[in-house]
């Protein structure tokens, strides 16, 4: 169990894409390289708008037999509490629609947190055990919240926390209203891998696109390492790459010129 060593600072490899196609290609190349090195890798996957081009490109490569997910162990970063997996806005439904139904992944090797579990803390412990049972995460693909969150680790979450039940920050609820149509319908709680779970991955790929993420990208990659910006912990991770589009990279001063 790693407690992130914050005294270490490693420069992340940042790539900036000039188009959505290039964004998809650069992000997919990281996953492709990982599966080339280890076809049975354990991967963590995010949801949201950001990874959609990645999933489309991975599906395309899989259809062309350039890539296979048949041996991959897949773990989602998070899932809402209390939402039926059949609900359109659940992350179960999202992953099935955008990725699992489009690639040759073995559904028996796919895991998402069960937000309907009667014992939510027990479910969190089970999820950690499931990740450990395949030897830990080889590559965690993560998106970035407008507030710097990773998974549903909202600002203020301790860096040494593992999979847990959490409350969504107000800005995250606002960001996700579009999937529910009405703020009142957005679940208030989720199960999320903790920062320590994500940090323990051997590699991390951070994805961010759009102007709305520019300040969070700057804070995460160039700002102080602080629990106020959960993604800033990645500055202490030895193997982080970031794929950004131009808009999301616009406020970086040191890493991109
Ligand atoms: P988005 O969500 O890709 O829909 O912006 C990312 C996140 O909140 O982590």
């Amino acid at each position: 169990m790693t407690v992130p060593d914050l005294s270490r600072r490693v420069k992340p490899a940042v790539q900036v894409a000039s188009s959505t196609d290039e964004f998809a290609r650069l992000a997919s190349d990281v996953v492709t390289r990982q599966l080339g090195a280890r076809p049975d890798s354990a991967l963590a996957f995010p949801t949201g708008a950001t990874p959609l081009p990645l999933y489309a490109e991975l599906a395309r490569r899989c259809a062309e037999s350039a890539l296979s997910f048949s041996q991959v162990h897949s773990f989602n970063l998070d899932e809402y509490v209390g939402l039926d997996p059949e609900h359109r806005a659940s992350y179960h439904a999202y992953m099935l629609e955008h990725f699992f139904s489009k690639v040759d992944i073995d559904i028996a090797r796919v895991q998402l947190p069960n937000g309907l579990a009667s014992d939510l803390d027990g479910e969190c412990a089970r999820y950690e055990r499931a990740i450990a049972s395949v030897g830990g995460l080889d590559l965690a693909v993560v998106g970035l919240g407008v507030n710097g969150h990773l998974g549903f680790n909202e600002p203020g979450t301790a860096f040494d926390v593992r999979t847990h039940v959490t409350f969504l920050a107000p800005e995250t609820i606002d960001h996700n209203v579009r999937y529910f149509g009405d703020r009142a319908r957005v679940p208030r709680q989720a199960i999320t891998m903790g920062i320590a779970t994500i940090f323990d991955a051997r590699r991390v790929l951070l994805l961010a696109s759009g102007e709305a993420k520019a300040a969070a990208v700057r804070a995460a990659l160039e700002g102080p390492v602080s629990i106020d910006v959960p993604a800033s912990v990645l500055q202490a991770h030895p193997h982080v790459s970031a794929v950004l589009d131009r808009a999301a990279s616009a406020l970086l001063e040191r890493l991109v010129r």
Side-chain angles (χ1 to χ4, degrees), residues 47-50 78-80 83 87-91 94 144-147 149 151-152 154 168-190 213:
T47 49
T50 310
D78 44 25
E79 178 58 287
Y80 293 110
L83 200 63
H87 189 289
R88 262 192 65 73
S90 79
Y91 292 161
Y94 171 103
L144 181 67
V146 283
N147 62 3
H149 77 191
F152 277 125
E154 303 287 15
L168 275 56
E171 56 275 18
T172 300
I173 296 172
D174 292 341
H175 190 69
N176 291 357
V177 167
R178 62 204 151 127
Y179 300 112
F180 293 89
D182 178 354
R183 204 174 191 281
R185 291 211 190 97
V186 184
R188 278 5 190 199
Q189 283 185 292
K213 299 289 172 69

Side-chain angles (χ1 to χ4, degrees), residues 218-239:
R218 166 89 202 277
L221 298 182
E222 294 187 340
V225 175
S226 155
I227 60 169
D228 296 337
V229 182
S232 66
V233 75
L234 298 179
Q235 292 179 43
H237 192 286
H239 296 292

